[in-house]
Amino acid sequence: MEITARRSKETARDYAFRTLRKNIVMLKLAPGSMVSEKELADEMGISRTPTREALIELSKSHIVDIFPQKGSYISKIDYSLVDEARFMRLVLENSVVELVCDLATEEDFRELEQNISLQEFFLESDSLGKFFQIDNDFHEKLFVIANKTKIYHLMDSMMIHFDRVRMLRLHTNSEVQELLDDHKDILASLKAKDKALAVTLMTKHLSRYKIDEELIRKDHPDYFI
């Protein structure tokens, strides 16, 4: 498991939740694997109580399965939940790019360009985890520009299902360049204030995981329900 530093004033429960969620998305805690409350707590350097509370909270999003007297397991990937998460994000983000066409400033565009430069750097250095995070930052920035930051964070509990498949796609499909090219095209459409094109490009971008579903399932059959 990848352990990061605990943030200032972050409670043990919040730290456990953030750490476990990240490791589930990054597939360090693999779908279907059994997890030990004690081992997780020891690895994070905290007590079992906040670890248990974090697992319970994650179970509410159907990302952890807890069986009394048996143990806790990282939930296998349920494509129906992936599709729901993708649908929610697509509906919201298509509306967001329309708002961005009206609201974005030159400074906003410079920040998005800097983000794309970072994506290029991490892609060239084969740092898929970093690329994934900067990819997320790109999309979050769009919500910030549209003044819809709270909505972005409200999506969090559902997006973990979509994010695991996105991460699997990065490891399974060598055409990661497609994702970067999508971002460049989306940014160009936003600069041109072409709302229809921005929506079309975002729909294509957020639908790529579906194209690779068969390949992903073939490479990781044990990860899926």
Side-chain angles (χ1 to χ4, degrees):
M1 195 164 67
E2 183 179 322
I3 305 297
T4 55
R6 188 168 165 182
R7 296 169 180 168
S8 175
K9 298 182 180 179
E10 186 176 38
T11 66
R13 177 190 173 281
D14 289 344
Y15 172 64
F17 180 86
R18 179 171 63 85
T19 301
L20 294 175
R21 187 191 188 285
K22 178 180 179 181
N23 280 277
I24 290 171
V25 169
M26 302 301 285
L27 307 173
K28 303 292 185 183
L29 295 174
S33 63
M34 184 177 185
V35 290
S36 163
E37 191 179 285
K38 182 181 185 304
E39 289 177 4
L40 292 174
D42 289 345
E43 199 165 347
M44 291 185 286
I46 58 177
S47 67
R48 293 178 64 173
T49 298
T51 303
R52 183 183 311 115
E53 291 172 346
L55 289 170
I56 291 171
E57 188 63 27
L58 286 164
S59 73
K60 294 177 183 177
S61 299
H62 306 288
I63 207 68
V64 170
D65 296 320
I66 300 175
F67 300 102
Q69 312 305 320
K70 292 185 178 180
S72 299
Y73 295 80
I74 306 303
S75 302
K76 289 191 174 184
I77 296 171
D78 181 343
Y79 244 96
S80 67
L81 293 175
V82 174
D83 284 335
E84 281 196 45
R86 178 259 180 188
F87 176 82
M88 176 179 63
R89 179 165 173 178
L90 183 60
V91 169
L92 292 172
E93 201 147 356
N94 279 348
S95 295
V96 161
V97 292
E98 291 184 324
L99 289 171
V100 171
C101 284
D102 293 329
L103 299 174
T105 65
E106 289 302 316
E107 178 59 28
D108 291 327
F109 288 138
R110 278 193 292 272
E111 289 183 17
L112 289 170
E113 287 169 350
Q114 290 170 0
N115 176 284
I116 286 176
S117 294
L118 282 174
Q119 290 181 47
E120 290 178 323
F121 172 79
F122 288 122
L123 183 56
E124 289 171 2
S125 60
D126 202 30
S127 301
L128 294 181
K130 291 289 187 181
F131 177 87
F132 183 85
Q133 182 56 58
I134 301 301
D135 180 331
N136 283 343
D137 292 345
F138 178 88
H139 290 274
E140 182 176 6
K141 176 62 179 176
L142 298 180
F143 279 80
V144 171
I145 295 170
N147 297 314
K148 297 292 181 285
T149 309
K150 288 186 175 64
I151 291 176
Y152 182 84
H153 293 295
L154 283 172
M155 292 194 303
D156 206 44
S157 64
M158 277 296 290
M159 288 315 302
I160 191 168
H161 299 285
F162 187 44
D163 286 346
R164 285 201 296 178
V165 173
R166 287 173 58 218
M167 179 54 65
L168 274 174
R169 184 187 189 278
L170 288 180
H171 287 286
T172 301
N173 190 326
S174 61
E175 299 301 323
V176 181
Q177 182 68 41
E178 292 176 346
L179 303 177
L180 176 57
D181 291 341
D182 284 352
H183 290 152
K184 290 179 178 179
D185 292 341
I186 289 167
L187 178 55
S189 70
L190 296 175
K191 285 183 173 181
K193 299 188 182 302
D194 190 333
K195 295 181 181 181
L197 180 57
V199 168
T200 297
L201 292 170
M202 186 60 74
T203 300
K204 173 186 174 185
H205 179 62
L206 294 180
S207 301
R208 286 195 180 278
Y209 85 96
K210 194 69 177 176
I211 298 171
D212 296 321
E213 178 180 352
E214 184 177 345
L215 178 62
I216 293 171
R217 284 182 179 274
K218 181 180 178 181
D219 281 7
H220 305 280
D222 295 339
Y223 283 3
F224 295 86
I225 291 176

